[in-house]
Amino acid sequence: MKLRMALTERLGMALPIIGAPMAGVAHGALARSVTEGGGLGMIGVGSADRAELISREAAVASDGGRLPYGIGLMAWALEDRPELLDETAAARPTLVSVSFGSPGPYVEVLHAAGILVASQVHDRAGAIAATDAGVDIVIAQGTDAGGHTGTVGTLPLLQVVLDAVDVPVVAAGGIATARGLAAVLAAGAAGAWVGTCLLACPEARTKPEARAKVLAAGETDTILTRVFDVAQGIGWPEGFAGRALRNRFTDAWHGRETELAADAGARRHLAQAREADDFDTAYIYAGQGVGLVRRSLPAAQVVRDLGEGAASLLAERLDALLGDEPRPR
Ligand SMILES: Cc1cc2nc3c(=O)[nH]c(=O)nc-3n(C[C@H](O)[C@H](O)[C@H](O)COP(=O)(O)O)c2cc1C
């Protein structure tokens, strides 16, 4: 089945679903499965990832150049690591996102390589700044989202951003079932950008112990916190915390970040827990939609279920709401 929209035509997708770039989790295999399901899969590049990861995983995502895919970068990390941008431009993906900081300095070089540019935004001012910088697609990333994000919920943010800019707006944060996709499409989003609902897929690089916790977690089990960044000394800009599953480490340290920064023992404890895959202490970034993730299905199947389910829901709802009334134009 196809859901035809300007965005799907532009990105060569059958369904308006983009698999979010997730550093350490969304590499080539996950991106490829999302694309094979009819969406567009993206590779997440972390601030400490080696540049070679990009060409290696791009070859997997594109199945040797056969399939479209995207790459997600973090603006703040590019300041010190320009090689990540060079390697990304050289790979020539269909789409590159530059988020968490200004995309401005990077748009021209990506456009010159024939690549469309997206950026995740978190308020009206950010949406306007991103379009002024020349991005082709704005991603309204609500605080419901897994990973690093802002503080405004997906639905109010989407409404604000749709009214503020003229480029296609894609909704991100908390979209984990067909109902969520149908809701944002009905509101005017050009598509959905989904991460959490892919965490349990076999193609995701989620560790088995973390996958079990994702499948068991409910919608109230996440927290937006800086503790994992503080404990690892990662230079995330102010204003961006990460949404993760609550665990013993967040229970002990959330709200005590200054103390944590000075506590070498706690920082070592987190590093050891990460080595040991002990997720009672180590982090699992996940959004509020985690409560809707109940099975480990291939990503292509998750994408098809989202897209086909949303199409049926939209048609059913319109029939139920309007009955025999003429469709308003
Ligand atoms: C485990 C994880 C890692 C993430 N890593 C990145 C990243 O490297 N770059 C990025 O731009 N966004 C990253 N995000 C945010 C996603 O791009 C996206 O906004 C989010 O997953 C959408 O909300 P959802 O998780 O509710 O679907 C990450 C999200 C998760 C869950």
Side-chain angles (χ1 to χ4, degrees):
M1 121 167 287
K2 270 192 162 193
L3 279 175
R4 252 178 237 99
M5 310 182 71
L7 183 78
T8 55
E9 300 292 310
R10 206 151 169 208
L11 296 177
M13 313 183 283
L15 299 169
I17 299 164
I18 300 176
M22 296 186 280
V25 173
H27 281 183
L30 184 67
R32 174 171 151 182
S33 186
V34 168
T35 303
E36 285 176 338
L40 182 80
M42 296 191 68
I43 298 164
V45 180
S47 58
D49 280 337
R50 296 162 66 96
E52 301 85 76
L53 174 142
I54 295 171
S55 51
R56 188 186 71 217
E57 296 304 323
V60 177
S62 70
D63 195 17
R66 187 176 64 89
L67 296 171
Y69 67 97
I71 296 176
L73 303 172
M74 301 180 202
W76 62 267
L78 296 179
E79 287 168 25
D80 291 335
R81 308 239 4 242
E83 70 276 15
L84 296 178
L85 184 77
D86 297 343
E87 190 86 7
T88 295
R92 305 220 167 206
T94 301
L95 179 69
V96 168
S97 62
V98 184
S99 304
F100 311 117
S102 172
Y106 315 108
V107 170
E108 209 177 297
V109 64
L110 292 167
H111 278 170
I115 299 166
L116 291 169
V117 184
S119 184
Q120 300 192 75
V121 304
H122 308 93
D123 53 25
R124 182 191 302 271
I128 292 169
T131 50
D132 285 351
V135 308
D136 305 287
I137 302 166
V138 164
I139 317 300
Q141 190 206 30
T143 193
D144 327 20
H148 288 76
T149 185
T151 54
V152 182
T154 301
L155 207 44
L157 180 69
L158 178 62
Q159 296 167 78
V160 161
V161 175
L162 280 167
D163 283 345
V165 301
D166 290 328
V167 300
V169 177
V170 170
I175 300 155
T177 67
R179 291 186 195 284
L181 177 59
V184 299
L185 292 179
W193 174 281
V194 300
T196 294
C197 69
L198 303 174
L199 289 177
C201 296
E203 302 92 340
R205 295 180 77 252
T206 309
K207 298 273 177 65
E209 298 81 355
R211 192 181 306 266
K213 288 202 181 290
V214 164
L215 291 169
E219 70 279 11
T220 57
D221 289 336
T222 71
I223 184 168
L224 188 62
T225 185
R226 294 184 61 242
V227 293
F228 297 116
D229 297 328
V230 169
Q232 293 178 96
I234 301 181
W236 272 89
E238 284 294 317
F240 296 115
R243 185 171 297 284
L245 294 188
R246 273 197 339 257
N247 65 8
R248 283 196 207 128
F249 197 78
T250 61
D251 288 349
W253 292 105
H254 183 71
R256 296 171 56 209
E257 287 77 3
T258 310
E259 254 177 276
L260 173 60
D263 191 320
R267 297 170 60 155
R268 221 172 19 248
H269 180 51
L270 176 64
Q272 285 162 353
R274 290 190 63 212
E275 281 289 309
D277 295 336
D278 167 11
F279 295 102
D280 288 333
T281 296
Y283 53 83
I284 301 170
Y285 284 113
Q288 293 175 335
V290 72
L292 297 159
V293 183
R294 285 294 163 262
R295 289 196 294 163
S296 173
L297 295 171
Q301 185 67 45
V302 173
V303 168
R304 277 193 291 267
D305 289 351
L306 281 173
E308 290 171 11
S312 319
L313 274 170
L314 286 167
E316 272 167 33
R317 293 296 291 151
L318 206 56
D319 283 346
L321 290 166
L322 292 178
D324 294 334
E325 292 290 316
R327 299 283 185 263
R329 290 271 159 219

